[in-house]
Amino acid sequence: MRRLGAVGRAVALIMVVTACGAGCGWSAASSPQAEGTPDAAAPPPGTRSSAVPAGKVASVGVLVNGDDHTCTASVVDSPRGNVVATAAHCATGLPPDSVEFAPGFSGAGKGTFPYGKWKVRSVQVDERWTADHEDAADYAFLTVEPDAQGRSVQSVVGSSAPDWGAGPDQRVTVVGYPDEEHNPENRPVMCTTDVHRDPDEAAMLRMECAGFWVGTSGSPWLVDYRGPGRLGRIVGVLSGGDTDVESTAALFDAKARSVYERATRA
């Protein structure tokens, strides 16, 4: 799901509330270890104006409700290795125990789950989102259960480090899953580009890169990304935009850190 500008918000929220059918149970599976090793010598990606296939980024996946998947989410480094970041509008309106996180998801139709599904135990959002759905608070941190072998999701697929003090002018790599209409194989796309403060909303970052359709809400905005083995730092998550070209994110700050810390204790 992708939260659009003011015109599309009501429709987006209705879709979140109705997305999950019956039988959204846990089916975490035995998961292979994530591939890829850090490469300090890798050059930074060049900037682009449209998204390209992301390849395999194991720590990024989708939120699953039964047979349906909506929104993008990613693993964030945490003490117990069990915290996932997404957009608040993706994670509210449904009982937490009806949602699962599927890292590395891909494939047509129902798709495949190379690292299993990880049951969401709790959802933490900013009070500003709960009260007024403020754009600057459109982020959420989910606490997920271990898999059937007792492993944390971070130990299996890796994570990006949260950055609570990044400035508004950054070069970011954004990884997300467009909806099936624009992405029938359910494969993630990515774009590296320079982002700046949104001129319309001072608390938001703005990116201009084509290809981020509905489904990419919650996509991590990564600074210093050098590939699957060196994900860099997450400074925000995609929350919306009026077209597939223009996307926004709330810049993580001390308030976001407070929400994250609640998730680490949940």
Side-chain angles (χ1 to χ4, degrees):
M1 182 172 296
R2 174 186 176 87
R3 185 168 181 248
L4 304 178
V7 173
R9 289 175 189 165
V11 174
L13 290 171
I14 290 170
M15 289 174 65
V16 170
V17 173
T18 59
C20 185
C24 297
W26 180 29
S27 56
S30 175
S31 309
Q33 186 67 31
E35 297 178 357
T37 57
D39 182 1
T47 59
R48 295 183 176 274
S49 59
S50 61
V52 297
K56 184 177 182 180
V57 184
S59 63
V60 181
V62 297
L63 298 180
V64 178
N65 303 287
D67 291 334
D68 298 323
H69 63 87
T70 59
C71 289
T72 301
S74 65
V75 184
V76 179
D77 183 66
S78 64
R80 291 188 286 176
N82 62 349
V83 175
V84 173
T86 190
H89 74 265
C90 296
T92 52
L94 293 170
D97 62 2
S98 71
V99 181
E100 298 169 297
F101 171 58
F105 173 77
S106 68
K110 295 182 180 180
T112 61
F113 306 92
Y115 304 104
K117 301 177 188 178
W118 304 71
K119 183 178 178 180
V120 174
R121 182 167 69 214
S122 72
V123 175
Q124 308 297 328
V125 297
D126 192 301
E127 289 81 358
R128 295 172 297 162
W129 176 261
T130 304
D132 298 313
H133 286 181
E134 288 189 24
D135 290 338
D138 193 2
Y139 49 77
F141 295 97
L142 318 181
T143 307
V144 300
E145 300 280 6
D147 72 357
Q149 299 180 43
R151 299 176 299 178
S152 72
V153 65
Q154 181 174 319
S155 71
V156 175
V157 302
S159 64
S160 57
D163 187 338
W164 313 114
D169 300 316
Q170 299 285 347
R171 176 165 295 182
V172 302
T173 298
V174 182
V175 184
Y177 284 82
D179 65 356
E180 290 183 79
E181 180 180 353
H182 300 96
N183 181 27
E185 293 297 320
N186 288 316
R187 300 192 186 281
V189 300
M190 68 165 49
C191 182
T192 299
T193 189
D194 293 328
V195 299
H196 307 283
R197 194 179 300 279
D198 189 334
D200 299 321
E201 297 189 64
M204 308 292 288
L205 298 180
R206 178 172 171 172
M207 172 182 78
E208 294 188 5
C209 187
F212 285 85
W213 302 94
V214 169
T216 57
S217 281
S219 300
W221 291 36
L222 303 168
V223 173
D224 291 334
Y225 177 87
R226 296 292 188 274
R230 183 176 167 184
L231 298 172
R233 312 185 314 278
I234 180 171
V235 299
V237 294
L238 193 151
S239 60
D242 290 325
T243 70
D244 72 293
V245 177
E246 299 175 357
S247 301
T248 58
L251 186 64
F252 284 172
D253 57 10
K255 293 179 179 178
R257 182 173 187 170
S258 178
V259 178
Y260 160 84
E261 289 175 348
R262 294 206 311 263
T264 66
R265 299 190 296 266

